[in-house]
Structure formats: C-alpha cells, structure tokens
C-alpha cells in the first residue's frame, strides 16, 4: 500500500510542527509538548502516516544522504549525532495522531492530516490505527473532545461509533468555543469489532485501489 503507519519519533517533530500550524491555525501544541509526550509520557502513543511515493521520489532526488552526513569536530566527535531525518523522510509524513491510555480508556489527543491530502482516507487510516493500538494496549473505550463546529472531524468520529455524550462549555481558549465530549461504546464488544472490521476493510480496499492508480 502507498501509505504506511509508523511510530512518531523525535526526528519527525519539525514536520509535525509544520502540519500542526496548518491543521490547528489558532491553537497549536508547541514542539516542546510533542517532545515531552514522546520522551516522558509512558501512556502516550503517537503515530505518523507516511506517503511512500513522496518518500521514494524525494529520496531519488536527494541521493545517498548517509555519505554526506557532516562529522562533528573534536571535542564533540564522540557524541552520538542528534536524530535527524532527511528531507524525504520529513516531507513524506502527511499526517499524525496520538492517544493516551488512562486505565482502560484511550483518549485521542490529536489527529491531523496535511491540507493537501485531505479527503483521501488518511484521517480515517490514522483513526483506525489508533483504535488498533487501543485494542493492543487493553483499552475498552475510546474518547475525545472536538470543537462543536468541526464538521469533518465529527463526521469521521461518528463513522467509527463515537457519540456525543456531553458538552464542555468554552473549552477552547482561543475563541471560547464549546467542546463535545465523544465516546465509543465498548470497543471489545462483537458489535463494535464487526463495525470496525467492515469500515477498515472498505478503507484498505479504497487505499489499495488509489495506490494502484497512483502507480
Ligand atoms: C479531521 C481530519 C483529520 C480528517 O482528515 P481527512 O484525511 O480529510 O479524512 P478522511 O479523508 O480520512 O475522511 C474520513 C471521514 O471523515 C469524514 N470527513 C472528512 N472530511 C470531511 C469533510 N470535509 N466534510 C464532511 N465529512 C468529512 C467523512 O466521514 C469521511 O469518510 P468518507 O470518506 O467515507 O466520507 C482533517 O480534516 C484535519 O486534519 N483537520 C484539522 C485538524 C482537526 O481538526 N483534527 C481533529 C481535532 S478533534
């Protein structure tokens, strides 16, 4: 398949910050918040979606970067190099998402795709990957907050069985907008598993076809 899900790493953060500014123009998380999440939060799981076609195209342009990595001069020569990603590795990231596990509840903290790739199923792919992580780590429910005006996100969550359970008034400080708090039913029930499997199969079929068309 053209798109792959990977764990987010520190080296990805410049690109995450870039997409974050576009996805949340009025209320971004600073890069330091993501750094803390990756370094210090044992209950957090962050992923990225990578477009392998973009990665291959840019890699071909870049050539073999390992040959050109600059050496550190004495006295820093003994230090491990900082994790750095090539331009191809960074630019091929087209979305990201994360969750925290609290006991048996998986709280979705963020989900965003680059505006240039919207409506191609990648937001859905990220949500599917988060729910799969939820299963792996023993979550029984998924929950999140969403701006009451965020129609694309609400539609995505609704598709995967999230329901509005309550409202948190003036939750977003940039414009005092209310948040809906959404919860799934228990994700371990046969009914949820079946709904999830059906949507996931349809999504993978769609993405496979798009990959074939894209070559
Ligand atoms: C929400 C977001 C992640 C969706 O990403 P995307 O890649 O465009 O989503 P997909 O193409 O995978 O769409 C999946 C489903 O979401 C819903 N959806 C997505 N965009 C929609 C839109 N503009 N209008 C209505 N429904 C939409 C649909 O139900 C769609 O399913 P369908 O393809 O069967 O119609 C994206 O709009 C985004 O990054 N927004 C900015 C950040 C944000 O608001 N995140 C949510 C915070 S709570």
């Amino acid at each position: 398949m053209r798109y792959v899900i990977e764990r987010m790493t520190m080296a990805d953060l410049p690109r995450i910050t870039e997409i974050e500014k576009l996805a949340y123009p009025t209320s971004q998380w600073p890069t330091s918040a993501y750094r803390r999440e990756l370094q210090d939060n044992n209950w957090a799981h962050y992923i990225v979606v990578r477009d392998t076609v973009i990665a291959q195209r840019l890699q071909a342009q870049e050539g073999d970067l390992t040959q050109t990595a600059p050496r550190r001069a004495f006295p820093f020569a003994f230090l491990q190099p900082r994790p750095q990603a090539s331009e191809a590795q960074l630019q091929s990231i087209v979305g990201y998402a994360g969750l925290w596990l609290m006991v048996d509840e998986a709280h979705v903290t963020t989900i965003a795709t680059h505006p240039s790739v919207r409506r191609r199923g990648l937001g859905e792919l990220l949500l599917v990957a988060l729910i799969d992580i939820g299963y792996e780590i023993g979550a029984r429910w998924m929950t999140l907050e969403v701006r009451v005006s965020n129609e694309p996100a609400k539609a995505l969550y609704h598709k995967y069985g999230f329901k509005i359970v309550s409202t948190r008034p003036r939750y977003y400080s940039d414009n005092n907008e209310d948040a809906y708090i959404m919860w799934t039913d228990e994700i371990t029930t046969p009914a949820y598993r079946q709904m999830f499997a059906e949507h996931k199969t349809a999504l993978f079929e769609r993405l496979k076809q798009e990959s074939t068309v894209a070559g």
Side-chain angles (χ1 to χ4, degrees):
M1 195 160 70
R2 171 173 178 168
Y3 301 102
V4 292
I5 297 286
E6 295 171 4
R7 290 271 166 187
M8 189 188 289
T9 70
M10 296 291 238
D12 299 333
L13 293 186
R15 178 62 170 165
I16 302 307
T17 305
E18 222 173 273
I19 300 176
E20 176 93 6
K21 284 184 187 148
L22 299 168
Y24 301 104
T26 58
S27 59
Q28 298 115 38
W29 273 15
T31 312
S32 57
Y34 282 101
R35 202 173 296 126
R36 269 198 307 276
E37 287 290 276
L38 296 183
Q39 259 174 353
D40 304 332
N41 188 347
N42 291 336
W43 306 108
H45 296 262
Y46 282 85
I47 53 175
V48 299
V49 57
R50 190 181 297 285
D51 182 338
T52 57
V53 171
I54 295 181
Q56 280 160 13
R57 182 161 35 82
L58 292 177
Q59 255 156 18
Q61 284 169 14
E62 280 173 357
D64 186 1
L65 277 173
T66 53
Q67 311 254 329
T68 57
R71 282 173 166 245
R72 287 175 186 238
F74 182 82
F76 302 109
F78 59 89
L79 292 175
Q80 288 292 319
R82 275 168 166 247
Q84 263 192 342
S86 71
E87 211 40 34
Q89 285 164 331
L90 288 178
Q91 294 305 316
S92 57
I93 293 173
V94 290
Y96 58 91
L99 62 72
W100 293 338
L101 183 71
M102 288 182 199
V103 192
D104 48 12
E105 300 166 358
H107 292 244
V108 176
T109 54
T110 188
I111 181 163
T113 52
H114 193 283
S116 65
V117 300
R118 299 246 167 103
R119 300 308 315 249
R120 294 195 200 167
L122 299 182
E124 188 171 343
L125 181 63
L126 285 163
L127 185 62
V128 163
L130 287 185
I131 297 170
D132 271 332
I133 290 174
Y135 281 122
E136 269 171 41
I137 61 181
R140 290 168 64 197
W141 291 273
M142 308 283 301
T143 181
L144 51 82
E145 285 107 19
V146 60
R147 285 177 194 263
V148 295
S149 67
N150 194 341
E151 298 302 335
K154 282 189 296 180
L156 169 61
Y157 302 143
H158 184 69
K159 188 169 177 181
Y160 280 81
F162 287 80
K163 294 171 198 153
I164 297 167
V165 169
S166 58
T167 305
R168 213 162 254 164
R170 296 177 297 285
Y171 182 70
Y172 296 98
S173 56
D174 59 332
N175 65 351
N176 284 330
E177 187 170 350
D178 296 351
Y180 284 139
I181 302 175
M182 301 183 84
W183 285 84
T184 58
D185 290 335
E186 212 170 321
I187 61 173
T188 50
T189 59
Y192 192 92
R193 282 185 191 278
Q194 187 182 340
M195 178 278 289
F196 180 61
E198 282 168 9
H199 281 326
K200 187 172 163 180
T201 304
L203 173 68
F204 278 44
E205 203 45 54
R206 172 183 169 189
L207 291 175
K208 232 176 3 190
Q209 275 170 15
E210 283 174 14
S211 306
T212 315
V213 172

